[in-house]
Amino acid sequence: MTTTSIEHEDLAEDLRRIRLSGRLDMVGVGEIEMRFTSLAASRPMRVLVDLTGVSFLASVGLRCIIHSAKALEQKGGKMVLLLGDNTVVRGTLDTVGVSEIIPVCHDEASAMDALAG
Amino acid sequence: MSSLEIRAEPQELRRASAWLQERGERLAVPADQIDRLEVCLNEVLANLLEHGGTPVASQPIRLRLEGITPPAGAGVRLVISDAGVPFDPLVVSDKPLPASLDEASPGGLGLRLVRAYTDGMAYRVHEDRNELSIEMHWSPRS
């Protein structure tokens, strides 16, 4: 069973990429939630959340992402989700309507366009 | 092993997931179906840990996966039995999907996933335990 990890890279002063990998279940989210919230929603910026390496996404993971996206938007920032060809995660996002309220992109170029818009 | 007992602890959810994947493979459940069933199992167990109260921690949660024959095609039934506070997920209706981030609320996402992914659900109280059955159906591949 895969573990959960979080990495980040500042691509510009106001642009951050956060890469989540592994299982976003109750255990996995418990491991990364504080760091994710701190990285994603502490100041107004553009945040690209890369979910291409996420193997399992439960509602506890969705809640974590929605909570940070909401806090970021309230600060004047914007979050975009990058999925690549991760159909498992895409199905979950579509089912609960998250892809209607947080932009979801298949490749990095379109994610950057969405963040610029 | 067609059944498994777990404790009401977060780490046990991963043991349950591994058991489901292994058991599903033995029953030749298609990968996409077993992945969806794993989401359902995870959501039901997470809900039990959050809302099952003290009784759920006092006795093991029992899981059983069995092959079934629906009217058309093939299927499996996952039965989750627990001693927690009685809760019938079938009587709870889904909230409308949010139109914006501002409207998004964290509650009810797990149950929405379970409803969307299953082909049949049943709930009963049996011998003082909640028993939730979740079915997945599929057409045989040629």
Side-chain angles (χ1 to χ4, degrees), chain B residues 34-92:
Chain B
I34 205 71
D35 285 346
R36 286 176 166 221
L37 192 54
E38 185 188 350
V39 170
C40 296
L41 172 60
N42 208 276
E43 297 301 339
V44 172
L45 294 178
N47 198 54
L48 276 177
L49 264 61
E50 284 183 39
H51 305 294
T54 310
V56 82
S58 64
Q59 292 184 45
I61 300 167
R62 298 182 197 137
L63 310 175
R64 189 172 77 246
L65 186 68
E66 56 200 16
I68 58 171
T69 309
V76 284
R77 178 186 298 125
L78 172 66
V79 181
I80 302 161
S81 165
D82 70 87
V85 175
F87 172 65
D88 181 357
L90 278 71
V91 301
V92 182

Side-chain angles (χ1 to χ4, degrees), chain A residues 9-17 43-47:
Chain A
E9 181 183 5
D10 287 335
L11 304 171
E13 194 179 342
D14 68 338
L15 177 60
R16 175 169 289 167
R17 178 189 187 118
R43 61 189 176 96
M45 63 192 313
R46 295 172 292 153
V47 177

Side-chain angles (χ1 to χ4, degrees), chain B residues 71-135:
Chain B
V76 284
R77 178 186 298 125
L78 172 66
V79 181
I80 302 161
S81 165
D82 70 87
V85 175
F87 172 65
D88 181 357
L90 278 71
V91 301
V92 182
S93 53
D94 287 332
K95 294 178 191 171
L97 289 172
S100 68
L101 253 183
D102 206 37
E103 287 179 16
S105 66
L109 297 175
L111 198 49
R112 182 184 291 278
L113 279 171
V114 175
R115 282 185 207 284
Y117 282 174
T118 55
D119 296 309
M121 279 207 295
Y123 169 83
R124 66 173 181 167
V125 175
H126 180 61
E127 295 176 350
D128 294 329
R129 294 174 66 90
N130 298 294
E131 197 174 272
L132 181 66
S133 301
I134 296 171
E135 291 187 10

